[in-house]
Amino acid sequence: MALLSAGLLVAGVTASAAATAATAEPGATTTTTAPEQALGAGRYIVMLRQPGATRYEGGIDGLAATQARSGNKFNARTDKVAQYSRFLEREQSRIADAVGADVFSQTTIASNSFTAQLTAKQAAELAGKREVLTLVEDTAFELDTWNTPRFLGLESRSGTGTGGQWAAQGGVANAGKGVVVGILDSGIWPESASFAGPKLKSKAEGQFTPYRSGRTTFMNKADGSQFRGECETGEDWEVNDCNQKLIGARYYADAFVASVPVDKRDANEFISTRDGDGHGSHTASTAAGNFGVSASVEGRDFGTVSGMAPAAKIAAYKVCFNDTDPNTGGCYTSSTLAAVDDAVTDGVDVINYSISGATTTVVDAVEFAFLGAAAAGVFVAASAGNSGPTASTVAHNSPWITTVAAATHAVFENTAVLGNGAKHKGASINGTPLASTPLVNSTAAGLAPATADEVRLCAPGSLDPAQVTGKVVVCDRGVYDRVAKSSAVKQAGGVGMILVNITPGSLDADFHAVPTVHLDHVAAPAIKAYAATAGATASFESGDTTGGSPTVVPQIAGFSSRGPAKASDSDVIKPDIAAPGASVLAAVAPPSGQGRDFDLYSGTSMSSPHVAGLAAFIFGVNPQWTPMTVKSAMMTTSYDLKKADGSAHQDPFAQGAGHVDPTRFFDPGLVVTSNEDEWLSFVEGQGFPIDGVEPIAANALNVPSIAQGQVAASTSITRTFTGLRAGTWSVEATVPGFSVTTDKPSVTIGSAGEQVAVTFTFTRTDAPLAKFATGFVTLTGPTTVRMPVALRPVSVKAPATVAGTGTDGRATVDITAGYTGELDVRPTGLAKATTVERSTAVGEDYERTVVVPGGTKAARFVADAANDAADLDLFVYRLNAAGTPVALAGQSATGSADETVTLLNPVAASYLVVVNGYAAAPGETSIATTYDEYVVGGTGLGTFHAEPDPVAVTQGEATSFDAVWSGLEAGRYLGVLEYDGALAPTYVTVSAP
């Protein structure tokens, strides 16, 4: 499987260009008679001496003063300003024409300047003109909008490492000192300057002298914390590729080598820790890359880049490998599990895991491994997923992991101008404006034998040069890489591309093969309609020239996966927090990055290492803090992201607690933490039996957020606050549609370490049924502590499943109602299972086509391995009339021996069910499999009803009724019980011997 398809969470490679302004070193002095100007070829802003309209006091015949009179506001919308502006534009054109330069853009109001691409000779000529005040490299994209350390307040806007939280906590040289960050990813590129360091003495076999960590105590126990990793040799990797920055390198290629033939491996892949993709280098340098590394991309100077914890050490664990087959390769679970073990054993303090994970469960093999890592004192950050803005797509829903959403932090925009005058701003880093050019829809320029979809999506080789040469092409986003689309346009002779979203999604500025502007789904219809007209043209202008409101940051990235989580019945809010994840500049691997040493990537893969690196920064200052203390400190001090109109976003299912804020998280005052015992009780409560552990409900887990997916009338939830300092905090909570009471009006801490529990009772007033109401718990005192709250009121809280046995029988259904009155119960079924007993070979796909008729209430598909040490996967696809899969209707692909997919109210169609034999139990070569399918609807077998029906209910009180059946033959059966105003039914399973 190609690596990005296999789960590395990258929404697409993006890039931008900006120029740096030269600055002197701190404390240095310079003496010069005039500013020094670099006059090489490049893109320049030519600033003229004549003032812009805001400062023009008059003096030119025929042109009245435009400067506002004292006490008045400047008004640009006057005839005299228009006349003066036209005068300046003519003068600018005259000066540019004198050296043979073309003017790209002009300013005449606040300043008098024009922008032009100049040769070195043209720049020198203009610099010597009396009318010219100065020439400066184009700084339209300011450095402090994409440099995340400055955006996050880690350093001052000067970019010298002074000021900000690095300086406040001991300086850059101590930011993360004594901390090791383990990166589980696609490897690392050791030659990158982000990972440079002095040689590290090692034994011949690559076992390093232990690195002593600053975290010498944990939970008040001396643990002699040391890092004892290895530098494993392999393809194009020697022991001396490690150093005192990159202190560990391991790789886990066994599964990849066993699954992928040599001729199917990506040409840039290495069977070693060397990065064959660029993704791992990017995440590693974002988390803990060296400070002040000069970065340029395709000749454009981006100034310097730094990791979040530049003094921390890096240990790379390569678990992902690239190949050319979409059905193999990727990040094997076995590799990840081995890497987690080694990372914990080696002694890392932080793990970053920018790889996809389960969305429907909190406990799979990887999540459970991370539970062990967290229990060992390792902070684990993981990416939330790139399936936004669709709801309930968030991955990594385990509470011991800090799950990170992606936010914007930079604005890279240009404007597409249609020949009819319409302007549309979009994501773009094209440094050169594009003059008016013929415009065509890709759908009108297809090349046989490409399909209609391939043409619409500008697939490689799908465009006809006869229709595209010399034109700008409109292409739909989707399926193919964004940059592959512009390459297809260039291949066909096109000179520009307008890339349009067809559904809500992110806008991304990439390094494209031709000048490109990426527009949203709102603009798409108008763009396509105009492009279909005779003589349609388009041009690209630099920056946002629409005159509309500027794009605000930070916003949640369109691709960032959302809650509410499918796991835990939505009783845990995920993601936990947001961090920069769009257009993040960091190191990459040149062979797979088109020769680039640095690039801008977007994805929750990029937001996660920000949080991992910030955790390392915190550990460097507070080595005694636990991972959950760090997590709570980040969450409770975060701030709201913004909507497009600039208002607060306040959606916990998009941003979690909010955007991470390093200026506040060192002093949270109070923290809300959990530990291994609670996590195991939580796991037990999720239906995963653990010997000797008592279960707890998911919402009872002491995490710095509050959620309940089904609230019948009211609920009481307790959180325990641990003081990191003395003080008194007042307690408030607000959730629209609920009244809130607390058992304590305030929390008082006498000394650090004291704990106070507060119980919050939420009672529904007028919150709409079956929809989440969200708000916050806020504690105000020496610090401000804020936790998100999400509550979903329902008419009745009922179990997901009840089970019974016998050809005649009954099962008790315990419920709690959200109102007083009578509850009608609607039964459907019972349906008998169609059962197939078979032996499934490892790697085999067993397929069945199942017809689901109209009116079906539920269709359930179950694959059960006889040996629980085996691993089956289950996929269900909806087919079209031709028998071709058109949708993945459901999947269950965990590390379990048993998998189930249930479709509620499925679309009437034929479905393809695929049972995959992923792995046999140790010592076995095949998997003994029982497959069951149920189609529940229409007339059921035997009799099936509720007693009593209706059920008398009282708001907030527990009661019960019985599901009753009779007249069944031997077999396994499934029925459905539905309730008005409820989110989900109760499934009744019956085993009749």
Side-chain angles (χ1 to χ4, degrees):
M1 178 178 293
L3 189 58
L4 299 185
S5 301
L8 287 178
L9 293 174
V10 183
V13 178
T14 67
S16 180
T20 60
T23 57
E25 291 296 321
T29 59
T30 60
T31 302
T32 157
T33 56
E36 182 179 336
Q37 298 178 355
L39 298 176
R43 180 181 170 85
Y44 284 87
I45 293 174
V46 183
M47 187 73 64
L48 303 182
R49 294 185 182 275
Q50 181 69 23
T54 58
R55 297 189 297 112
Y56 174 57
E57 299 176 350
I60 299 175
D61 289 343
L63 294 174
T66 55
Q67 184 183 53
R69 296 180 180 179
S70 178
N72 294 329
K73 185 178 180 180
F74 174 78
N75 181 8
R77 297 181 181 277
T78 63
D79 287 340
K80 58 184 180 182
V81 169
Q83 292 172 6
Y84 182 66
S85 292
R86 285 193 292 270
F87 166 78
L88 294 184
E89 289 172 349
R90 289 193 298 271
E91 286 296 294
Q92 293 167 12
S93 296
R94 178 184 63 79
I95 292 169
D97 288 342
V99 299
D102 293 327
V103 174
F104 292 157
S105 62
Q106 298 171 280
T107 68
T108 62
I109 305 300
S111 65
N112 174 17
S113 70
F114 65 90
T115 305
Q117 187 75 27
L118 305 176
T119 65
K121 182 176 183 293
Q122 289 170 330
E125 288 183 22
L126 285 174
K129 285 187 173 292
R130 183 180 297 272
E131 302 99 327
V132 175
L133 178 65
T134 187
L135 275 74
V136 295
E137 291 186 16
D138 187 357
T139 56
F141 304 109
E142 296 181 12
L143 288 171
D144 58 4
T145 61
W146 57 262
N147 188 307
T148 54
R150 293 172 220 169
F151 180 81
L152 293 168
L154 295 175
E155 63 175 338
S156 69
R157 293 173 65 89
S158 67
T160 60
T162 58
Q165 282 302 296
W166 280 338
Q169 303 298 333
V172 169
N174 292 302
K177 185 176 182 180
V179 180
V180 181
V181 180
I183 305 295
L184 275 63
D185 214 298
S186 67
I188 198 165
W189 195 258
E191 290 80 10
S192 172
S194 291
F195 313 124
K199 291 184 178 180
L200 184 60
K201 294 181 180 179
S202 64
K203 298 179 181 179
E205 67 273 21
Q207 175 67 52
F208 287 131
T209 300
Y211 169 74
R212 184 169 298 280
S213 170
R215 296 186 69 208
T216 55
T217 61
F218 176 64
M219 296 182 181
N220 299 319
K221 295 180 181 178
D223 66 356
S225 184
Q226 293 179 324
F227 179 83
R228 295 177 178 269
E230 293 189 14
C231 190
E232 296 179 346
T233 59
E235 184 180 358
D236 204 13
W237 189 287
E238 300 177 354
V239 170
N240 60 14
D241 283 318
C242 293
N243 56 43
Q244 292 185 36
K245 177 67 174 182
L246 176 56
I247 63 172
R250 297 180 184 269
Y251 63 100
Y252 306 85
D254 289 351
F256 176 76
V257 170
S259 304
V260 181
V262 174
D263 62 350
K264 297 295 184 181
R265 297 174 192 170
D266 189 279
N268 295 316
E269 189 52 271
F270 303 87
I271 306 303
S272 70
T273 315
R274 185 169 291 278
D275 191 356
D277 180 79
H279 189 276
S281 299
H282 200 281
T283 57
S285 56
T286 298
N290 287 325
F291 171 77
V293 176
S294 297
S296 62
V297 182
E298 297 191 358
R300 298 170 185 254
D301 187 1
F302 283 79
T304 61
V305 295
S306 300
M308 299 297 99
K313 309 296 185 182
I314 295 172
Y317 299 84
K318 182 174 178 177
V319 299
C320 301
F321 296 81
N322 241 342
D323 70 357
T324 59
D325 188 337
N327 296 311
T328 59
C331 314
Y332 289 89
T333 299
S334 59
S335 301
T336 295
L337 297 182
V340 173
D341 266 13
D342 282 345
V344 174
T345 301
D346 291 348
V348 302
D349 302 292
V350 174
I351 286 175
N352 184 72
Y353 192 69
S354 290
I355 299 170
S356 62
T359 60
T360 59
T361 180
V362 296
V363 181
D364 67 4
V366 172
E367 303 290 288
F368 208 77
F370 285 143
L371 186 154
V378 179
F379 180 94
V380 180
S383 40
N386 293 339
S387 298
T390 304
S392 298
T393 54
V394 64
H396 296 301
N397 293 297
S398 302
W400 47 86
I401 291 174
T402 301
T403 306
V404 190
T408 64
H409 69 102
V411 178
F412 300 116
E413 293 175 332
N414 286 321
T415 303
V417 184
L418 304 184
N420 61 8
K423 290 189 172 186
H424 302 272
K425 70 176 178 180
S428 175
I429 60 164
N430 176 46
T432 304
L434 182 68
S436 181
T437 303
L439 178 68
V440 63
N441 285 316
S442 65
T443 52
L447 181 66
T451 66
D453 272 348
E454 288 172 336
V455 172
R456 175 179 62 84
L457 295 165
C458 294
S462 66
L463 301 177
D464 184 358
Q467 302 296 324
V468 169
T469 297
K471 297 178 182 179
V472 174
V473 183
V474 181
C475 300
D476 283 359
R477 181 181 187 172
V479 182
Y480 305 97
D481 292 343
R482 296 186 301 271
V483 293
K485 297 173 187 287
S486 62
S487 293
V489 170
K490 182 177 181 179
Q491 181 185 31
V495 297
M497 180 176 74
I498 296 178
L499 179 63
V500 295
N501 288 352
I502 55 175
T503 59
S506 62
L507 298 180
D508 302 278
D510 303 302
F511 277 119
H512 281 285
V514 295
T516 296
V517 178
H518 184 182
L519 302 177
D520 62 23
H521 69 290
V522 177
I527 297 287
K528 292 182 177 183
Y530 172 72
T533 63
T537 61
S539 61
F540 296 163
E541 295 180 346
S542 297
D544 176 10
T545 63
T546 63
S549 299
T551 302
V552 297
V553 294
Q555 297 184 53
I556 197 69
F559 57 76
S560 189
S561 288
R562 268 58 163 189
K566 293 179 181 179
S568 306
D569 295 325
S570 302
D571 285 349
V572 175
I573 292 176
K574 286 285 181 170
D576 294 302
I577 201 163
S583 299
V584 176
L585 184 67
V588 294
S592 55
Q594 298 181 338
R596 301 172 187 141
D597 295 312
F598 299 89
D599 211 337
L600 286 138
Y601 285 4
S602 291
T604 55
S605 277
M606 285 62 255
S607 55
S608 180
H610 278 90
V611 167
L614 292 172
F617 182 25
I618 293 174
F619 278 146
V621 176
N622 297 298
Q624 76 281 5
W625 281 16
T626 70
M628 295 302 101
T629 300
V630 173
K631 177 178 179 177
S632 178
M634 287 184 177
M635 290 177 65
T636 61
T637 60
S638 61
Y639 61 88
D640 288 322
L641 276 76
K642 298 177 181 178
K643 297 179 182 178
D645 62 4
S647 62
H649 196 60
Q650 294 190 333
D651 178 2
F653 300 126
Q655 69 173 14
H659 195 287
V660 66
D661 186 357
T663 68
R664 297 181 60 226
F665 60 37
F666 281 104
D667 185 21
L670 302 170
V671 290
V672 180
T673 63
S674 54
N675 57 34
E676 178 185 0
D677 290 342
E678 294 174 74
W679 302 334
L680 293 176
S681 292
F682 163 79
V683 171
E684 176 79 22
Q686 295 300 299
F688 298 86
I690 300 176
D691 291 342
V693 173
E694 292 296 321
I696 62 172
N699 61 15
L701 192 66
N702 201 50
V703 295
S705 59
I706 293 175
Q708 187 162 323
Q710 296 187 62
V711 178
S714 67
T715 185
S716 294
I717 298 174
T718 299
R719 291 293 181 263
T720 298
F721 299 88
T722 301
L724 299 184
R725 58 147 75 183
T728 297
W729 286 260
S730 61
V731 179
E732 295 182 1
T734 302
V735 180
F738 282 82
S739 63
V740 188
T741 60
T742 62
D743 66 340
K744 297 179 182 67
S746 62
V747 169
T748 298
I749 301 294
S751 59
E754 289 185 10
Q755 295 185 327
V756 177
V758 180
T759 298
F760 301 87
T761 299
F762 304 91
T763 302
R764 175 181 176 262
T765 54
D766 57 0
L769 290 174
K771 294 183 179 180
F772 270 100
T774 63
F776 295 97
V777 165
T778 306
L779 283 70
T780 307
T783 63
T784 299
V785 178
R786 192 182 75 161
M787 300 190 304
V789 180
L791 307 170
R792 184 165 51 185
V794 295
S795 61
V796 61
K797 185 175 183 179
T801 303
V802 296
T805 60
T807 56
D808 305 292
R810 62 179 60 221
T812 299
V813 183
D814 296 316
I815 62 172
T816 301
Y819 64 97
T820 298
E822 291 185 336
L823 174 68
D824 290 324
V825 181
R826 302 192 307 276
T828 305
L830 298 165
K832 187 179 181 180
T834 297
T835 301
V836 177
E837 303 280 356
R838 71 185 312 276
S839 178
T840 304
V842 174
E844 177 189 3
D845 284 342
Y846 168 61
E847 300 181 355
R848 281 182 62 85
T849 299
V850 181
V851 177
V852 176
T856 297
K857 186 60 61 180
R860 174 171 287 185
F861 312 95
V862 182
D864 184 354
N867 191 326
D868 286 342
D871 185 355
L872 293 171
D873 289 336
L874 179 64
F875 305 88
V876 181
Y877 302 88
R878 182 164 54 85
L879 306 177
N880 62 15
T884 303
V886 293
L888 177 62
Q891 63 177 320
S892 182
T894 69
S896 172
D898 309 324
E899 307 287 2
T900 300
V901 170
T902 302
L903 307 180
L904 183 63
N905 298 316
V907 174
S910 293
Y911 289 80
L912 176 66
V913 182
V914 180
V915 179
N916 173 258
Y918 187 83
E924 299 181 2
T925 58
S926 61
I927 308 163
T929 304
T930 300
Y931 167 79
D932 286 339
E933 65 189 31
Y934 306 85
V935 178
V936 184
T939 303
L941 300 176
T943 62
F944 179 53
H945 63 280
E947 290 183 1
D949 185 19
V951 184
V953 295
T954 302
Q955 181 174 345
E957 292 187 5
T959 187
S960 65
F961 66 91
D962 285 347
V964 182
W965 61 91
S966 62
L968 301 180
E969 299 176 350
R972 288 186 290 273
Y973 295 83
L974 179 69
V976 179
L977 301 174
E978 294 180 288
Y979 322 92
D980 286 336
L983 293 171
T986 296
Y987 295 99
V988 180
T989 62
V990 177
S991 177

